Structure formats: C-alpha cells, structure tokens
C-alpha cells in the first residue's frame, strides 16, 4: 500500500489520488493536501485546474514543473482550516529540501467554492507558523527525512548552517 | 564643464551583463541569455523620480516606499564577451545593435543633467576623453542626443509591461519583493518565465524555443568555472523552465 504523500497516514488511493484524478475535493483542506501531493507525484495538471478562473492565467507552470522536480518534498502540516459557506482559509506548512537546504514555508491560502468545486484563490506567507510543522526530534535520533543518518548529521546540521 | 569623448572601438565595454529594453531583448532572444534585474532606488536618491517613472514604486513590508528599476538583462558573466563581439573587436550586429549599445556612453536610466558623472571610462577602457575628442556633453546637455532619446523612449514605452510584472510579483512572490528591502546596492534577478506569465505573452512558446539553446550554451560554458557557479545554476534552472514552455 502506498501511503499518501500528504502525510495523512491514509492509503494514497483513499486520500489524494482520486482527487488528483479529478474527483471533487470534499473540503478546502483536502484540496491543500491534494495540491501538495500533486507536486510530490509531479502531476501538476491538478494544480493548474484548481486555480480560480480569475487567476488561472497567472500560474507559472514552467516554474512549478521545475520546483516539483528540484525539491525533495519532506512533508505537509495543516495548521488550521476554516470554512464558511463558499469561502475557506487554510494555514499550513510545507517542508522540502532544495539545494541541500531544508526549508519550511508557512502559508495561509484562501479558497472559494465554484459549482461545488473548491478552487485556490490566493496565498500569503505565514512565517509565524513555520516552526509548528517541525517535529521534535532529538539530535541523536534518526532523522525524520528517512536518510538513515542521525538528525544532527543530517537536517539538524543543515538547519543550523542556514 | 565640457566633456570630450570618442569611442576607439576597443571592445572593452562589450563584456558582462547588458541591460536591454524589452524591445531589444525580444529581438535578441536567440542571442543573449535573458533574465530581469530588479534594482531598488531609495527615496532619498537623486535617481528616485526617474526610477519611479520608468520602473515601479512599491511599498515594502516595513511600509517604506522605494522605486525599482526593472531591466531585461543579457545575463553574461563579467569576464565573458558579448556573443555579438566579432574579431577585431567590432560588433557583428552593428546596424541593429541594442539601444543600450548605441547610446553609450550615456545612460538614460538617469536624468540627462546627471550624465556627466557617467562619462568617466573604466580603468582599462580605451575611450578617448582628451581634448582632441569631440565635445559630447556641455552645460547639462547632451550634444548628439538621438540614441539617448531613442533608448529613453523605449524605456517609457515598456512601462505598462513592467508595472504588470511588478504587480504580479507583489501578488505571487511577496517574499521576493520584501527581499529588495535590505538591498542598498546591487540587484536581484528573476526569470524570463515569470515575466512571460505575468504579462501573458502570446509569444511565450517561440521565445522559449529560441532562448533554450542559448541557456544550454551558457550553462555548458560556465559548467567548469567555480567563479561563475551562480550564473551556471541560473542557466540550468531557467533552461528547465524554457524547455517546458518550448513544448
């Protein structure tokens, strides 16, 4: 069984896979998860198709394709999700490794429901929640990125260098 | 004070990065590796008023207003010659060379009255500034101004495109615009793909098809040179983006 890359601990086939394939995301949070998972599995049609119509031309697909390829995706942490009628706001942290650096990016994204489909509207950075996605891990424990090395020799070390 | 100047065709100014107008960048997309340079100009600077007019003004996260010059750029390491520099140091595209080259030694990104400061040749350049050379600048005025005016006009024509680009970067790359804050000197570069997306260019595919081999060429040229590893990295990542757009 392939676990879903969105960190839900569910099987991929019961979680983001069907949404990436075109099924309706039941919540805005589910859409954040499926859009993240789409970067991991490099299926960016899903990301492109879930932009709100007024911003769909703004998606820099070429850059997104490059980022999807360059980054090693280390995890998604949903901080909070609020929905009211056809509007939603989700705060989350994405963690990835790029250029040998581990980076956490927090964001608050807005979504709107169009004909029953949640679509991405806008996003702003939220550095204040970035620490929340980090797991507490001892310096001598195995690194959470599954490298097999100790944390202090792996991401812990790189995080300090940053 | 009268300033004398005569180009001796030494070719020394044909090295390194070259700011272009978008018109020239577009015309040379199959010649130069392209990107955009963002240079902040602080409010106290004497260049602020003009920079606001030909570039953009933004309010930074700390509520400080700055002007930004946004220049399409031939992104070439300073020790590399212009790809159009031929043998005998002559320009291979002289009749159609970019406005930036034609207007040398003047620089219409600054007000006319400040041009005198720019007329000091760099150390190893061969410009003739002796009294034998013709007077090109006097009492705050440029004597022969056709090329200066031409470049300035192109800079003014492209303002709506640059404004759209700035709005796009503010909306989608908030942290990028914020990063200009601490930049008192120097500039930050952004990709051609971001400009093409922001301005919804109808020519994106053909531009990418012509730009891709140039980026590959420069990536290969800089691959073994640690001094230019930043340039190399950018050529490689931009080539990835262009190869997607070129499909």
């Amino acid at each position: 069984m392939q676990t879903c890359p969105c960190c839900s601990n569910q099987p991929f086939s019961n979680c983001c896979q069907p949404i990436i394939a075109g099924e309706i995301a039941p919540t805005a949070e589910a859409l954040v998860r499926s859009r993240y998972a789409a970067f991991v599995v490099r299926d960016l049609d899903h990301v492109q198709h879930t932009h709100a119509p007024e911003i769909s031309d703004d998606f820099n697909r070429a850059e997104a394709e490059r980022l999807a390829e360059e980054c090693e995706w280390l995890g998604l942490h949903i901080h909070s999700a609020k929905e009211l009628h056809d509007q939603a706001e989700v705060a989350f942290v994405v963690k990835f490794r790029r250029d040998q650096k581990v980076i956490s990016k927090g964001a608050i994204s807005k979504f709107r429901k169009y004909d029953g489909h949640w679509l991405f509207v806008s996003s702003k950075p939220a550095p204040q929640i970035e620490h929340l996605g980090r797991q507490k891990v001892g310096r001598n424990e195995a690194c959470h990125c599954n490298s097999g090395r100790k944390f202090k020799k792996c991401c812990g070390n790189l995080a300090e260098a940053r | 004070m009268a300033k004398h100047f005569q180009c001796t065709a030494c070719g020394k100014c044909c090295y390194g990065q070259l700011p272009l107008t978008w018109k020239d960048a577009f015309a040379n997309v199959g010649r130069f590796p392209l990107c955009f340079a963002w240079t902040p100009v602080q409010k106290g600077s004497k260049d602020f008023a003009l920079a606001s007019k030909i570039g953009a003004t933004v309010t930074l996260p700390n509520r400080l207003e700055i002007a930004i010059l946004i220049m399409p750029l031939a992104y070439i390491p300073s020790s590399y010659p212009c790809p159009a520099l031929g043998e005998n140091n002559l320009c291979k595209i002289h009749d159609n060379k970019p406005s930036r080259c034609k207007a040398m030694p003047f620089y219409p990104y600054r007000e006319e009255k400040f041009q005198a400061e720019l007329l000091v040749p760099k150390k190893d350049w061969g410009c003739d500034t002796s009294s034998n050379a013709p007077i090109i600048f006097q009492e705050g005025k440029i004597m022969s101004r056709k090329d200066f005016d031409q470049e300035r006009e192109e800079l003014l024509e492209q303002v709506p495109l640059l404004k759209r680009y700035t709005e796009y970067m503010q909306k989608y790359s908030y942290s990028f615009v914020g990063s200009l804050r601490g930049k008192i000197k120097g500039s930050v570069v952004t990709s051609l793909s971001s400009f093409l997306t922001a301005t919804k260019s109808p020519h994106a595919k053909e531009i990418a098809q012509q730009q891709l081999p140039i980026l590959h060429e420069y990536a290969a040229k800089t691959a073994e040179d640690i001094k230019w590893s930043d340039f190399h990295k950018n050529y490689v990542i931009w080539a990835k983006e262009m190869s997607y757009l070129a499909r």
Side-chain angles (χ1 to χ4, degrees):
Chain A
M1 176 198 88
Q2 188 190 356
T3 314
C4 192
C6 83
C7 305
S8 62
N9 283 326
Q10 303 291 314
F12 186 37
S13 56
N14 278 351
C15 189
C16 293
Q17 193 172 37
I19 299 173
I20 291 172
E23 278 186 24
I24 288 182
T27 61
E29 178 185 334
L31 187 64
V32 170
R33 292 185 176 279
S34 66
R35 282 165 60 97
Y36 169 80
F39 269 89
V40 181
V41 300
R42 290 174 62 186
D43 188 346
L44 297 185
D45 281 350
H46 175 60
V47 179
Q48 183 148 21
H49 295 156
T50 51
H51 275 69
E54 70 270 21
I55 58 157
S56 60
D57 287 350
D58 286 350
F59 179 53
N60 187 346
R61 177 76 181 255
E63 184 185 58
E65 291 280 350
R66 168 173 71 74
L67 288 173
E69 182 196 320
E70 267 173 19
C71 298
E72 184 189 342
W73 301 96
L74 301 176
L76 169 70
H77 174 82
I78 304 286
H79 174 242
S80 64
K82 293 185 275 190
E83 276 182 26
L84 184 65
H85 309 306
D86 61 347
Q87 315 250 2
E89 208 176 275
V90 183
F92 60 95
V93 181
V94 172
K95 191 170 172 185
F96 53 94
R97 191 201 315 267
R98 187 170 154 210
D99 287 344
Q100 296 155 334
K101 278 183 206 153
V102 175
I103 299 170
S104 288
K105 282 272 175 221
I108 297 173
S109 291
K110 289 189 173 164
F111 297 85
R112 202 156 58 237
K113 215 177 202 173
Y114 291 78
D115 295 333
H117 295 258
W118 285 107
L119 297 176
F120 169 73
V121 174
S122 68
S123 189
K124 62 174 189 219
Q128 69 275 16
I129 59 169
E130 278 164 12
H131 67 283
L132 296 170
R134 294 185 200 153
Q135 297 164 24
K136 288 213 167 59
V137 51
R139 287 181 41 75
N140 284 311
E141 289 174 38
C143 191
H144 43 70
C145 74
N146 299 326
S147 64
R149 286 178 295 169
K150 286 181 178 180
F151 178 70
K152 69 179 180 187
K153 296 274 184 200
C154 186
C155 300
N157 186 21
L158 293 162
E160 276 166 28
R162 181 149 69 90
Chain B
M1 203 179 73
K3 291 279 180 188
H4 298 259
F5 178 90
Q6 174 75 60
C7 174
T8 62
C10 72
K12 292 277 171 65
C13 66
C14 307
Y15 281 73
Q17 303 192 12
L18 174 69
L20 297 164
T21 60
W22 173 242
K23 189 180 162 203
D24 284 330
F26 185 59
N28 289 286
V29 70
R31 178 170 286 116
F32 300 129
L34 296 172
C35 69
F36 284 77
W38 298 61
T39 312
V41 178
Q42 311 294 326
K43 215 167 183 174
S45 160
K46 60 185 173 186
D47 297 322
F48 181 83
L50 182 59
S52 320
K53 201 166 141 195
I54 60 173
T57 50
V58 300
T59 305
L60 296 175
N62 61 359
R63 297 198 199 133
L64 191 71
E65 192 192 24
I66 57 165
I68 306 177
L69 285 173
I70 304 144
M71 305 169 179
L73 188 72
Y75 185 69
I76 299 170
S78 60
S79 63
Y80 287 51
C82 173
L85 184 63
E87 289 170 25
N88 306 325
N89 283 333
L90 294 180
C91 179
K92 288 191 277 194
I93 54 168
H94 183 73
D95 293 339
N96 295 306
K97 66 185 180 184
S99 302
R100 179 80 295 275
C101 310
K102 287 182 185 160
M104 283 292 273
F106 298 113
Y107 188 64
Y109 295 82
R110 302 190 71 182
E111 297 284 7
E112 180 172 4
K113 59 187 172 197
F114 301 139
Q115 296 294 314
E117 306 161 25
L118 301 163
L119 302 180
V120 183
K122 290 197 180 156
K123 212 167 62 192
D124 57 340
W125 290 11
C127 322
D128 180 4
T129 54
S130 72
S131 54
N132 298 329
I135 292 174
I136 58 159
F137 188 79
Q138 197 162 28
E139 286 161 9
K141 291 277 173 209
I142 294 170
M143 304 280 103
S144 171
R145 52 180 313 117
K146 186 175 134 267
D147 294 330
F148 179 88
D149 287 346
Q150 173 64 32
E151 189 180 8
R152 175 68 71 75
E153 197 180 305
E154 288 173 23
L155 294 178
L156 290 169
E157 273 167 17
Q158 69 190 15
V159 166
L161 279 179
L162 297 181
K163 290 246 189 278
R164 224 184 296 166
Y165 190 23
T166 310
E167 281 161 21
Y168 178 88
M169 292 302 280
Q170 280 184 287
K171 189 169 171 192
Y172 294 102
S173 211
Y174 191 79
S175 56
F176 163 76
V177 176
S179 75
L180 293 169
R181 163 164 135 189
K183 283 246 156 225
I184 308 288
K185 275 192 164 178
S187 49
V188 182
V189 294
T190 54
S191 65
L192 180 58
S193 84
S194 61
F195 176 80
L196 296 175
T197 308
T199 57
K200 306 193 194 324
S201 170
H203 310 290
K205 187 175 177 177
E206 51 191 286
I207 287 174
Q209 285 169 348
Q210 292 185 60
Q211 177 69 179
L212 183 59
I214 306 302
L215 290 168
H216 280 153
E217 183 190 327
Y218 276 83
K221 275 184 190 173
T222 49
E224 302 299 324
D225 199 342
I226 184 90
K227 189 173 173 199
W228 304 118
S229 60
D230 287 351
F231 279 76
H232 177 72
K233 206 159 90 182
N234 282 332
Y235 295 135
V236 171
I237 65 177
W238 294 336
K240 280 184 194 165
E241 296 180 0
M242 287 303 128
S243 66
Y244 183 83
L245 284 177
R247 295 203 306 221

